Each structure stands twice: as structure tokens, then as C-alpha cells.
């Protein structure tokens, strides 16, 4: 049996592929480029190109589980519903979907895909992480290295930053468990940090001062528009506004049974990856 990993060249999917491979599961990675990613089999696949949906099943007729990501696509229904329907018709028995804390079933974008799984009455799990600690090493990497700063509209809002490692582990567990979870989980890290507190921690690790420069939601929207669609830019900037109001912190206090356990800390991530921000 094979597990198809969409987003398998990304941060979470890539780590998930390694975990599954090490445990002896057969993995097929779906990627728009189809570029080989040793040691994994790769298939050309694009959620925006319906002609590519059949490719994974042609390449490996034994696919029975699928890890689903929703990368920067807001109008999801016309793309994800046909793919989910086709996958079920080809023998897929379980989907594990990566969304986010704020994506409730049916809400635009990721929440619509969550609802598609509920409507399909198929076995599933939905993983709803808060903000990734790895954003410091991707989105903020250049500004930390070049200007010793990060910029956000999150103000004093505190975030229970989560590691990709913990998300990939949750994806692994929910894909391979004998019984299907058929529920969603919030994924939050073990500690809360505002951006001011996070850059103070990073400063102590790097031995130089990194600052958090505050911007408004409107200013952030303009920044995001430089590389995302206007609609997506609005969504991302608005999420920073929600964090400023304490809406991301609130997930930290959800009852234990609503959350998936996570153990990796921001301090350890900074220590292990200090080379990323070295000057
Ligand atoms: N960063 C955060 O703080 C945060 C917080 C909560 C939730 N999330 C969610 O996490 C997800 C991102 O996960 P990640 O960080 O692991 O991914 P990532 O590193 O950003 O990589 C994106 C992945 O999506 C694939 N992809 C992009 N467009 C595609 C398309 N049209 N069709 C098929 N595949 C496509 C890419 O594959 P190819 O380029 O090979 O095609 C790549 O593997 C997003 O859904 C995001 O909303 C992020």
C-alpha cells in the first residue's frame, strides 16, 4: 500500500516522507515539477491542473492514503472536491489534511477542503497547526540576517509556535494508525512567545540584537501583495491582526483532548539552526 504525499517537497511533507520511508512505508511524492527527490518516487501533480489528478494513480495503483496540503489557494472547492472524489474512486481510504488553527470546517480556503472530507464520509484526520517556528528560518531569514529585524502586525499577541517536526509526527501517526481518527486536532507548541519575546530569545542565541518592528495590518497586506494574490495577502495580514488580539494564544488554552501533543521548543530550534541567521 502506498501513501501519496501532496506538498511532499515542502517543509512538513518532506519531513513526513522521511518518517514514513524510515518506518518502511511506500511513499509517492506529488510535485508540480515532478523533479526526482531521492530516495522517493515522484509524480507530476498540480491542484490547479485537473488533467494531472490521475497521474499518481496511473503511476501507483496501490495508493490507499493521501496527505493533503492547501498551498496559497483560496478558491479550493473547484480543485479539491474533484481530486478527493477521484482519489476515493481509485481506492483511497483515508485522507490526512493540513490546514491551520483559524480554518474552521467550511471557512474559505482550507476550511472548505475540511468540509469536503466530512461530506465525502471518508476516513480522515485534519491537523490544524498554529504558526510554524520554521518561519523564522524562511520568511524572516533575510530580514534577520540583513537588517537584524522582523516586521509584523502581530503586536504583543503571543503565539504557541509549533515545529514542523511535531506536525510531521502528527501526520505520520494519523496516517498509519490502525483506526482512523476521524476528527481534527489543534497543533500548538509547548510555550507561548510574543514576537518581542521570540526575538529576545533569538538575540541571546545569536549574540546580537534582533528587533521586532511593528507594522499595521494594512501595511502588511501591501507587503504580502508583492508576492501573493491580493486575496491571499489580505488573509495573511488579517491573521496577524487576529494574533495581536490574542486569538492565536487562545488555542494554547484549548482542552488537552482538542490538541495533538508537541514537544519541540523555539529555543532549541534557534540553537539548532543558528547558522541560518549568521552574518
Ligand atoms: N507557515 C505557517 O506558519 C503555517 C501555519 C499554519 C498552517 N500552515 C499551512 O501549511 C501549509 C504549508 O506547508 P509547508 O510549509 O510544509 O509547505 P511549503 O514548504 O510552503 O511548500 C509548499 C508545498 O506545496 C506544494 N504546492 C504548491 N502549490 C501547489 C499546487 N498548485 N499543486 C500541488 N502542490 C503544490 C509545493 O510543491 P511543488 O513546489 O513541488 O509543487 C510544496 O511541496 C500551507 O497550507 C499553510 O497554510 C502554515
Amino acid at each position: 500500500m502506498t501513501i501519496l504525499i501532496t506538498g511532499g517537497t515542502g517543509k512538513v511533507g518532506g519531513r513526513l516522507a522521511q518518517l514514513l520511508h524510515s518506518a518502511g512505508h511506500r511513499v509517492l511524492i506529488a510535485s508540480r515539477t515532478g523533479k526526482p527527490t531521492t530516495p522517493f518516487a515522484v509524480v507530476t501533480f498540480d491542484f490547479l491542473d485537473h488533467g494531472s489528478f490521475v497521474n499518481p494513480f496511473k503511476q501507483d495503483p496501490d495508493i490507499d492514503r493521501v496527505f493533503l496540503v492547501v498551498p496559497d489557494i483560496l478558491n479550493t472547492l473547484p480543485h479539491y472536491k474533484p481530486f478527493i472524489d477521484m482519489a476515493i474512486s481509485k481506492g483511497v481510504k483515508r485522507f490526512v489534511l493540513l490546514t491551520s488553527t483559524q480554518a474552521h470546517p467550511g471557512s474559505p480556503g482550507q476550511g472548505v477542503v475540511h468540509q469536503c472530507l466530512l461530506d465525502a464520509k471518508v476516513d480522515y484526520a485534519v491537523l490544524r497547526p498554529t504558526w510554524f517556528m520554521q518561519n523564522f528560518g524562511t520568511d524572516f531569514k533575510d530580514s534577520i540576517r540583513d537588517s537584524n529585524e522582523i516586521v509584523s502586525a502581530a503586536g504583543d499577541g503571543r503565539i504557541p509556535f509549533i515545529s514542523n517536526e511535531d506536525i510531521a509526527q502528527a501526520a505520520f501517526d494519523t496516517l498509519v494508525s490502525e483506526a482512523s481518527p476521524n476528527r481534527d486536532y489543534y497543533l500548538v507548541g509547548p510555550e507561548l512567545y510574543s514576537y518581542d519575546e521570540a526575538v529576545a530569545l533569538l538575540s541571546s542565541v545569536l549574540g546580537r540584537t534582533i528587533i521586532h518592528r511593528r507594522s499595521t495590518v494594512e501595511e502588511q497586506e501591501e507587503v504580502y501583495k508583492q508576492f501573493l494574490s491580493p486575496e491571499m495577502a489580505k488573509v495573511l495580514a488579517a491573521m496577524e491582526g487576529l494574533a495581536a488580539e490574542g486569538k492565536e494564544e487562545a488555542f494554547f488554552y484549548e482542552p488537552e483532548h482538542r490538541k495533538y501533543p508537541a514537544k519541540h521548543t523555539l529555543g532549541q530550534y534557534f540553537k539548532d539552526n543558528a547558522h541560518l541567521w549568521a552574518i
Side-chain angles (χ1 to χ4, degrees):
M1 290 302 169
T2 302
I3 300 176
L4 176 68
I5 307 182
T6 68
T9 58
K11 293 184 289 294
V12 174
R15 182 69 191 122
L16 170 64
Q18 288 167 359
L19 289 175
L20 288 167
H21 180 72
S22 305
H25 296 277
R26 204 157 76 210
V27 161
L28 176 60
I29 286 182
S31 163
R32 287 166 299 176
T33 64
K35 236 172 43 202
T37 314
T38 317
F40 307 110
V42 181
V43 63
T44 307
F45 177 87
D46 186 341
F47 280 114
L48 302 179
D49 172 9
H50 293 211
S52 72
F53 288 1
V54 76
N55 294 350
F57 306 100
K58 271 192 189 155
Q59 184 158 327
D60 190 331
D62 287 335
I63 297 167
D64 67 339
R65 296 186 188 189
V66 175
F67 178 66
L68 277 178
V69 294
V70 188
D72 298 343
I73 299 172
L74 258 190
N75 186 20
T76 47
L77 188 66
H79 307 295
Y80 281 77
K81 183 170 176 354
F83 174 66
I84 290 167
D85 288 346
M86 171 184 283
I88 293 171
S89 77
K90 297 284 182 189
V92 170
K93 299 280 186 288
R94 188 187 304 181
F95 295 84
V96 172
L97 168 66
L98 176 64
T99 66
S100 54
T101 41
Q102 305 287 351
H104 302 290
S107 66
Q110 297 174 333
V112 164
V113 184
H114 186 161
Q115 189 61 47
C116 282
L117 293 180
L118 298 179
D119 293 344
K121 302 198 186 321
V122 65
D123 281 344
Y124 78 99
V126 179
L127 308 177
R128 299 174 61 181
T130 184
W131 298 3
F132 298 180
M133 49 183 76
Q134 279 73 14
N135 295 346
F136 286 92
T138 53
D139 307 4
F140 292 142
K141 184 169 127 186
D142 291 347
S143 70
I144 292 171
R145 232 177 18 197
D146 301 343
S147 331
N148 291 320
E149 68 172 14
I150 65 167
V151 184
S152 91
D156 291 321
R158 299 177 91 201
I159 319 291
F161 291 102
I162 179 92
S163 168
N164 289 342
E165 294 280 337
D166 285 318
I167 304 171
Q169 186 63 53
F172 174 92
D173 295 345
T174 51
L175 278 163
V176 306
S177 61
E178 193 156 332
S180 177
N182 296 345
R183 53 165 292 188
D184 62 335
Y185 300 91
Y186 294 123
L187 271 68
V188 298
E191 301 161 333
L192 282 167
Y193 289 96
S194 66
Y195 272 138
D196 282 7
E197 292 165 338
V199 293
L201 182 63
L202 182 58
S203 302
S204 71
V205 170
L206 297 182
R208 68 179 201 274
T209 303
I210 313 295
I211 62 156
H212 171 216
R213 186 154 59 81
R214 288 147 192 260
S215 61
T216 64
V217 169
E218 293 72 26
E219 286 165 346
Q220 285 300 92
E221 193 177 327
E222 291 308 311
V223 171
Y224 290 137
K225 272 186 194 162
Q226 291 166 23
F227 49 93
L228 290 171
S229 69
E231 298 77 21
M232 205 65 214
K234 201 177 188 62
V235 169
L236 280 191
M239 281 171 62
E240 293 183 22
L242 288 176
E245 293 165 14
K247 299 273 167 48
E248 215 47 49
E249 175 172 1
F251 292 104
F252 186 75
Y253 298 109
E254 283 284 334
E256 289 309 311
H257 73 270
R258 292 286 294 120
K259 299 184 287 194
Y260 206 90
K263 57 180 185 199
H264 289 82
T265 64
L266 190 62
Q268 196 59 49
Y269 167 70
F270 286 156
K271 281 184 197 140
D272 292 346
N273 294 280
H275 61 278
L276 293 176
W277 309 284
I279 47 176

